Amino acid sequence: MSHSAGDRAHDSGGGPASAAAAHSHADVDRHVRSALFVFAALLVLTGVTVGAWFLHLPTRAAIALALAIATVKGTLVAAWFMHLVSEERLIYWMLILAASCFLPLLLFPTFTMLGAITPR
Amino acid sequence: MSAIPYTVEVRPDTGLNNGKIAIWLFLASEVMLFGALFASYVMLRVGATTWPPGATYLNIPLATVNTVVLIGSSVTMVLAWASLVKGEFSRFRLFLGITILCGLVFLVIKYFEYSAKFHHGYLPATNTFLAIYFTLTGLHGLHVIGGMAVNAYLWGPGSALWRTDRQHFTNRVENAGLFWHLVDLVWIFLFPILYLL
């Protein structure tokens, strides 16, 4: 559908076009509501991340906790802001490909280093 | 003609429009780019005999504010796109404008952070921690600038497309949004890794 008028023409006319628009409006409203909910969750989790830092946990526990929270936050952003929850399968495959290249990249050097610095 | 057209029609074979596939391929390459640097960070840290806590050099309250600013800008980006889908162009401009401003606030805070480091003589050459800090945050900062440039174009001259092809313009904003959310996502990991651990 193409509109030639500028600024704020709302789809208020009859016919199938407005029915489709109404449907997508409801979808968008739902999307916005979940985005605001995710926003609140991200703020709380940011608070938890910084709060955990004040606890001065042992290094290993601090790393595990901070990365766990970051992973939850990252998943929320990817799933709802980037709407991966309702995305086509092709995109999942593209990301799985990227992840399967990234993981060896992350792990091989680390294993090498761990092997190299193992105390005798 | 072998060129792939930039259309907003969903292709039957992929179930997606071409622009969506292209931006996700680009984002996948970005994951690899930052992934390589995260891997470097892990390797440098595991290999180092000592590693300074981020707070030794870095300002945690400022970075916390920046985290909130960037998360907020992601929400306004979603609201900007949602406004377009509902045909509300002036609301779109308001929310995209706020998104751009948030990007600017992030960069200004980053500027103060960098200035403080330079003032104290903390340079990338000072030690490994600062080297990887400046590399990761510098690259991320360039992404913020890039995202702001695209958003500013869509807010300004690029928005002329709205008058002729609404769907196409909405699609552009959606794709710009996907990039902006990735910038947010990367920062969500950079913040604890560099500042808090």
Side-chain angles (χ1 to χ4, degrees):
Chain A
M1 94 188 147
S2 70
H3 302 255
S4 55
D7 212 288
R8 42 173 73 223
H10 294 267
D11 292 314
S12 53
S18 72
H23 176 68
S24 79
H25 282 198
D27 284 350
V28 165
D29 286 338
R30 232 186 343 266
H31 191 82
V32 166
R33 266 198 304 278
S34 31
L36 292 175
F37 185 73
V38 167
F39 176 51
L42 290 172
L43 289 183
V44 170
L45 287 171
T46 302
V48 173
T49 308
V50 178
W53 176 75
F54 279 107
L55 295 177
H56 297 291
L57 296 170
T59 309
R60 275 169 190 274
I63 290 176
L65 183 63
L67 286 184
I69 297 172
T71 305
V72 172
K73 287 169 74 180
T75 307
L76 285 175
V77 169
W80 273 279
F81 287 174
M82 301 170 91
H83 35 86
L84 270 182
V85 275
S86 56
E87 205 44 275
E88 287 296 322
R89 198 173 297 170
L90 180 67
I91 287 176
Y92 297 153
W93 283 116
M94 275 159 32
L95 290 174
I96 288 168
L97 180 66
S100 58
C101 294
F102 165 61
L103 277 179
L105 196 71
L106 185 69
L107 295 178
F108 284 152
T110 309
F111 286 154
T112 311
M113 290 297 289
L114 287 172
I117 59 165
T118 302
R120 272 177 283 178
Chain B
M1 290 292 279
S2 60
I4 299 172
Y6 183 1
T7 57
V8 291
E9 277 86 45
V10 170
R11 283 174 61 107
D13 50 358
T14 61
L16 296 159
N17 61 61
N18 291 338
K20 182 70 97 52
I21 294 180
I23 190 74
W24 273 106
L25 276 175
F26 175 59
L27 296 187
S29 79
E30 292 280 83
V31 169
M32 296 301 297
L33 173 66
F34 280 102
L37 285 168
F38 276 120
S40 308
Y41 166 89
V42 172
M43 197 167 97
L44 291 170
R45 181 160 185 171
V46 171
T49 46
T50 58
W51 193 263
T56 314
Y57 296 105
L58 309 178
N59 188 322
I60 290 172
L62 276 185
T64 307
V65 171
N66 253 354
T67 305
V68 173
V69 166
L70 218 49
I71 291 171
S73 77
S74 257
V75 179
T76 53
M77 190 80 218
V78 170
L79 293 173
W81 166 79
S83 304
L84 280 188
V85 176
K86 294 168 83 171
E88 297 166 350
F89 184 76
S90 40
R91 274 172 69 86
F92 152 76
R93 272 211 142 156
L94 171 71
F95 286 126
L96 192 66
I98 296 173
T99 308
I100 297 166
L101 277 180
C102 285
L104 194 65
V105 169
F106 181 91
L107 288 177
V108 168
I109 290 178
K110 207 81 212 127
Y111 166 78
F112 283 119
E113 277 195 79
Y114 272 24
S115 304
K117 308 284 167 298
F118 295 150
H119 181 72
H120 290 106
Y122 299 149
L123 301 170
T126 306
N127 60 33
T128 312
F129 171 78
L130 286 168
I132 195 76
Y133 163 79
F134 278 112
T135 306
L136 279 167
T137 55
L139 184 69
H140 178 263
L142 288 176
H143 279 74
V144 173
I145 293 170
M148 281 173 66
V150 172
N151 288 344
Y153 172 75
L154 292 172
W155 188 89
S159 66
L161 184 62
W162 176 253
R163 286 194 290 274
T164 52
D165 192 342
R166 289 186 166 199
Q167 219 182 343
H168 200 149
F169 183 65
T170 308
N171 188 248
R172 282 190 176 174
V173 171
E174 182 181 0
N175 291 343
L178 285 171
F179 177 77
W180 192 253
H181 299 316
L182 181 91
V183 171
D184 182 20
L185 203 156
V186 169
W187 180 257
I188 281 173
F189 282 93
L190 286 184
F191 172 54
I193 285 174
L194 292 173
Y195 289 80
L196 302 179
L197 297 179

